[in-house]
């Protein structure tokens, strides 16, 4: 039987025996009381990794982002975010619903916001304008195929937010990939954001869990919002243990996922049915255009699924493949030849 190669997302990985054992053995307590030693250990560890004072374990990346938006704003404020960012596209209007803010979207170039555009988007201080409170960036950037936000560009934006007295939130669901690919230490990213939201359930392969990282005061406030949003978990150490296992054992493997993505792109290019610019494959995602096939995304996805490769639709005429812990380099080569054959 053909083994299906699932490249839909790096979120589909399943915890292996050793991670499950770590979760099974975790010491736990009631985390809503702040008494789960495993959660506390993870929070301290991740805060230190980003050079920040404190961190808060939350169930998901969306909750991490939405709590951070809430943290920095009052209803009626405005936030600036890239038009293709996760917060704008995939969080079901959360900032409007949960924080009562207006989102001003601006275009990105491979996930990067032009500081000049941001500067022009910041509202002057007049009573009839909404108050601009926050700029959100995403690193790596999902809809640009896992592109890395260059640290010098982030630095420009950071300086601008300091000058204008606004906050910067970094959606770092895949910040680990960004750091592995760019060599920029996590701490350096931490220095360029008031808050970060980072995930353990993407490339790191834990079953669930994200973390908000910030200063102590911000995290205390975030704890209140986590409670309001229904994200307080009790013996969450079972999940935190999976995240700790992932940091210990999987952080170092992200470079392999990036290598798998580059291999997939080059084998697809060699197959001659699609063209992928290798420069666009910066981390663990490969996006390619299928417009020239004359087929819809749905029909191609079905055809590929029958051939034993699962992908996702991206933008109007593209498909996306994501490499992760549960596919090997060999799987990726097989996937490339199945895709080429099917096309
Ligand atoms: C960039 C980015 N931010 C946030 C999230 C949300 O994470 P979750 O699915 O854990 O809510 C995702 C999910 O894939 C993501 O890609």
């Amino acid at each position: 039987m053909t083994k299906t190669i699932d490249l839909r997302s790096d979120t589909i990985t399943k915890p292996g025996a050793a991670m499950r054992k770590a979760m099974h053995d975790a010491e736990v307590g009631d985390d809503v009381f702040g008494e789960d030693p495993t959660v506390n250990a993870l929070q301290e560890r991740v805060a230190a990794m980003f050079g920040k004072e404190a961190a808060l374990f939350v169930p998901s990346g969306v909750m991490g982002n939405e709590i951070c938006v809430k943290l920095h704003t009052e209803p009626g404020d405005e936030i600036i975010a890239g038009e293709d960012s996760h917060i704008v596209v995939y969080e079901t209007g959360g900032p409007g619903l949960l924080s009562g803010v207006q989102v001003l979207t601006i275009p990105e170039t491979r996930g990067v916001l032009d500081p000049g555009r941001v500067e022009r988007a910041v509202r002057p201080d007049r009573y009839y304008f909404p108050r601009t409170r926050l700029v959100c960036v995403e690193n790596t950037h999902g809809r640009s195929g896992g592109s890395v936000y260059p640290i010098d560009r982030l630095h420009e934006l950071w300086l601008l937010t300091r000058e204008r007295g606004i906050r910067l939130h970094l959606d770092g669901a895949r910040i680990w990939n960004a750091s592995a690919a760019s060599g920029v230490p996590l701490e350096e990213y931490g220095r360029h954001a008031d808050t970060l939201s980072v995930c353990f359930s993407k490339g790191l392969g834990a079953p669930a869990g994200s973390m908000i990282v910030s200063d102590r005061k911000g995290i205390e406030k975030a704890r209140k919002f986590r409670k309001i949003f229904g994200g307080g978990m009790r013996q969450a150490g079972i999940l935190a243990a999976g995240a700790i296992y992932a940091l210990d054992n999987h952080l170092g493997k992200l470079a392999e996922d990036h290598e798998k993505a580059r291999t997939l792109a080059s084998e697809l290019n060699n197959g001659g049915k699609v063209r992928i610019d290798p420069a666009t494959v910066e981390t663990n995602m490969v996006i390619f255009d299928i417009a020239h096939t004359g087929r819809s995304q749905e029909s191609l996805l079905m055809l590929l699924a029958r051939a034993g490769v699962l992908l996702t639709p991206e933008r109007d005429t593209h498909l996306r493949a994501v490499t992760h812990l549960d596919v090997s380099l060999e799987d990726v080569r097989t996937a490339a030849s199945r895709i080429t054959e099917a096309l």
Side-chain angles (χ1 to χ4, degrees), residues 97-273:
L97 180 67
L98 300 168
S99 298
V101 295
Q102 174 165 291
V103 185
L104 181 65
T105 61
I106 59 174
E108 301 125 318
T109 309
R110 292 194 57 69
V112 174
L113 302 178
D114 169 21
R117 276 306 272 265
V118 175
E119 178 137 43
R120 289 195 295 282
V122 176
R123 307 281 181 184
D125 184 14
R126 286 192 207 122
Y127 82 91
Y128 44 79
F129 286 133
R131 188 177 64 144
T132 306
R133 276 312 279 159
L134 176 69
V135 179
C136 300
V137 295
E138 187 175 314
N139 191 14
T140 64
H141 190 263
R143 289 197 110 201
S144 306
S147 55
V148 176
Y149 209 112
I151 191 70
D152 52 336
R153 306 304 311 277
L154 193 57
H155 187 63
E156 288 172 58
L157 194 61
W158 174 249
L159 293 181
L160 172 66
T161 59
R162 296 313 91 177
E163 273 165 30
R164 304 301 300 259
I166 53 185
R167 306 280 168 79
L168 195 150
H169 170 66
L170 196 165
D171 175 354
R174 294 185 180 80
I175 192 79
W176 324 103
N177 297 81
S179 177
S182 64
V184 173
L186 295 170
E187 213 175 336
E188 187 65 12
Y189 289 123
R191 263 197 286 277
H192 287 86
D194 293 293
T195 48
L196 300 95
S197 162
V198 304
C199 293
F200 307 110
S201 58
K202 314 287 182 301
L204 289 183
S210 293
M211 195 73 96
I212 297 171
V213 195
S214 187
D215 56 26
R216 212 171 298 287
K217 229 166 114 201
I219 292 301
E220 272 324 300
K221 216 169 144 192
R223 188 182 301 281
K224 190 177 173 73
F225 293 130
R226 183 183 72 174
K227 186 73 178 155
I228 297 171
F229 289 178
M233 298 183 285
R234 301 294 176 175
Q235 285 70 38
I238 291 179
L239 292 176
I244 290 172
Y245 181 92
L247 289 175
D248 288 341
N249 296 281
H250 295 164
L251 203 51
K253 291 189 170 183
L254 292 172
E256 294 172 27
D257 286 346
H258 302 172
E259 176 59 27
K260 289 173 214 166
R262 283 194 295 273
T263 302
L264 178 66
S266 83
E267 302 258 319
L268 284 171
N269 273 338
N270 291 343
K273 298 291 183 192

Side-chain angles (χ1 to χ4, degrees), residues 9-11 59-65 85-87 90-91 138-142 171-174 197 199 201-202 209-210 285 320:
S9 176
D10 49 10
T11 58
S60 69
V62 169
M63 192 182 285
N65 282 337
S85 63
H86 197 278
I87 288 179
Y90 297 118
E91 300 192 8
E138 187 175 314
N139 191 14
T140 64
H141 190 263
D171 175 354
R174 294 185 180 80
S197 162
C199 293
S201 58
K202 314 287 182 301
S210 293
M285 298 186 191
R320 184 189 79 163

Side-chain angles (χ1 to χ4, degrees), residues 18 84 107:
D84 275 328

